[in-house]
Amino acid sequence: MIGTFKISLSDLLHFAQERGIQPLGNSPTNTFHGVAPLDEASETDIAFCRFDDERGRNWLQHTQASAVFILPHVKEFAEKVRPILYLPCDVPRLEFSLLLQQFWREPEWNTGSGLNPDIHPEAKLGSDVKVGQFTTIGPDVTIGNGTRIAPGCHIMHASVGENCWIGSNTVIGSSGFGFEDDDISGQVTEFPHVGTVSIGKNVRIGASCCIDRSALGATKIGDETKLDNNIHIGHNVNIGKRCKLTASVTISGSVIIEDDCWLAPNSVVRDWRSIGRKSLIGIGSVITRNVPENATMFGNPAREIPRPKNRYR
């Protein structure tokens, strides 16, 4: 993550008091230096958990975070499995968003350098990297050796591996779409995205694609994966190796796509779904549930069908 986050325990407790949250337990630390997903957090991090199912309980049981926003009805379970500071609230993601808005600080970046392309001096570009005209590259970007970036791209909060191709007018690392309704103020609160994008080696990204920066952690695209034009990748998506996403595919937030999958044109995957390795998603299909390995899905909502023996028929 690029940016800074630092908050004392007393400031966190004051925030909770202002939001009507009654803290539970004790924090192992008096100062927090970061925010992270539950399964990646360290003891100086603050996290949140909006789930009360098996995955949420598993994350709570194994997290190393010292403070976690949780749902009120899981507080007894949470206290038993790990005695840290819990902040029970009706909408943990909302309260976490408001905390980030107060205490997260992004580095300043003035894009008006007049350079063409505009490459921030703190960006790290490997050898034999080519960057087209009217492209902007931010201060926290790393580009691997031999990568080619076409004109008109905008890249920030990202690492890009070796020998990648990025097509014209593609945007990598902008904030994802995340909002919560605050019943106290009556406002719609945006979730501040403070994560990154991590792109492997030999990845092809077509023209006019959008790959969102994660809310926390990283949006990931594995080695050798190929993206066609006009594709949207939402925040916190994790795409495996050697996947192929064709024209106008839309991937909602927090989706997992395992290795060697094929997604046909105009297919859509709703948030928090997973697609097993070597699966095929047909043209215009809408994925509303998890997909097992080696499945062929078609329709809206998509259902499993026999895989054609000849993919060109």
Side-chain angles (χ1 to χ4, degrees):
M1 290 182 190
I2 190 74
T4 58
F5 178 89
K6 185 176 181 180
I7 181 175
S8 66
L9 176 59
S10 60
D11 284 341
L12 177 59
L13 295 176
H14 181 69
F15 170 86
Q17 182 181 23
E18 287 188 333
R19 293 294 300 169
I21 297 171
Q22 296 294 325
L24 185 69
N26 297 289
S27 169
T29 181
N30 289 319
T31 306
F32 302 91
H33 294 281
V35 291
L38 268 178
D39 57 347
E40 298 177 14
S42 71
E43 67 176 14
T44 60
D45 289 333
I46 301 174
F48 75 97
C49 183
R50 60 177 175 173
F51 297 111
D52 58 1
D53 56 10
E54 184 178 350
R55 70 183 147 180
R57 291 172 184 265
N58 183 60
W59 286 339
L60 287 172
Q61 186 172 1
H62 294 98
T63 186
Q64 297 300 307
S66 289
V68 182
F69 290 89
I70 60 171
L71 292 165
H73 56 274
V74 300
K75 61 185 181 182
E76 291 183 4
F77 168 83
E79 263 197 315
K80 288 179 182 177
V81 297
R82 197 150 187 275
I84 58 174
L85 180 67
Y86 293 105
L87 302 159
C89 50
D90 291 334
V91 190
R93 190 170 184 264
L94 166 64
E95 304 302 338
F96 190 86
S97 301
L98 296 172
L99 184 74
L100 279 177
Q101 288 183 9
Q102 284 194 36
F103 294 99
W104 179 266
R105 299 291 178 266
E106 288 279 339
E108 293 185 5
W109 177 27
N110 178 11
T111 59
S113 70
L115 299 175
N116 187 10
D118 183 356
I119 302 173
H120 194 279
E122 294 181 12
K124 297 179 177 62
L125 274 64
S127 62
D128 193 31
V129 171
K130 305 295 185 185
V131 182
Q133 290 183 310
F134 310 113
T135 287
T136 57
I137 297 179
D140 56 338
V141 172
T142 302
I143 307 291
N145 300 337
T147 286
R148 301 289 187 262
I149 302 171
C153 295
H154 187 53
I155 305 174
M156 50 191 172
H157 313 300
S159 64
V160 180
E162 298 179 354
N163 299 314
C164 293
W165 165 262
I166 300 173
S168 293
N169 302 316
T170 283
V171 178
I172 298 173
S174 61
S175 288
F177 189 84
F179 297 88
E180 297 287 350
D181 295 326
D182 184 358
D183 293 336
I184 296 175
S185 67
Q187 296 179 334
V188 179
T189 297
E190 183 172 4
F191 190 99
H193 285 61
V194 300
T196 59
V197 176
S198 176
I199 297 171
K201 61 184 179 181
N202 300 319
V203 172
R204 183 199 187 280
I205 299 170
S208 301
C209 293
C210 291
I211 302 173
D212 288 344
R213 171 189 195 182
S214 64
L216 303 170
T219 299
K220 299 177 182 179
I221 298 177
D223 297 347
E224 303 287 346
T225 283
K226 314 301 181 186
L227 273 60
D228 198 354
N229 302 326
N230 298 307
I231 287 175
H232 172 76
I233 307 295
H235 56 198
N236 295 89
V237 168
N238 190 336
I239 299 176
K241 298 178 181 179
R242 299 176 300 277
C243 291
K244 299 173 184 67
L245 280 63
T246 57
S248 301
V249 164
T250 299
I251 309 297
S252 302
S254 300
V255 165
I256 297 173
I257 301 175
E258 296 183 359
D259 298 345
D260 301 300
C261 289
W262 175 284
L263 278 72
N266 295 302
S267 54
V268 177
V269 184
R270 71 156 295 177
D271 59 336
W272 291 101
R273 297 305 182 260
S274 63
I275 298 178
R277 60 189 297 271
K278 295 187 176 181
S279 288
L280 189 155
I281 310 301
I283 293 174
S285 297
V286 178
I287 301 299
T288 59
R289 57 188 176 88
N290 294 340
V291 175
E293 291 187 3
N294 294 298
T296 299
M297 308 294 292
F298 183 77
N300 179 11
R303 68 190 188 280
E304 190 166 2
I305 62 172
R307 179 165 298 192
K309 294 182 179 180
N310 187 335
R311 54 172 287 197
Y312 297 105
R313 290 181 181 174

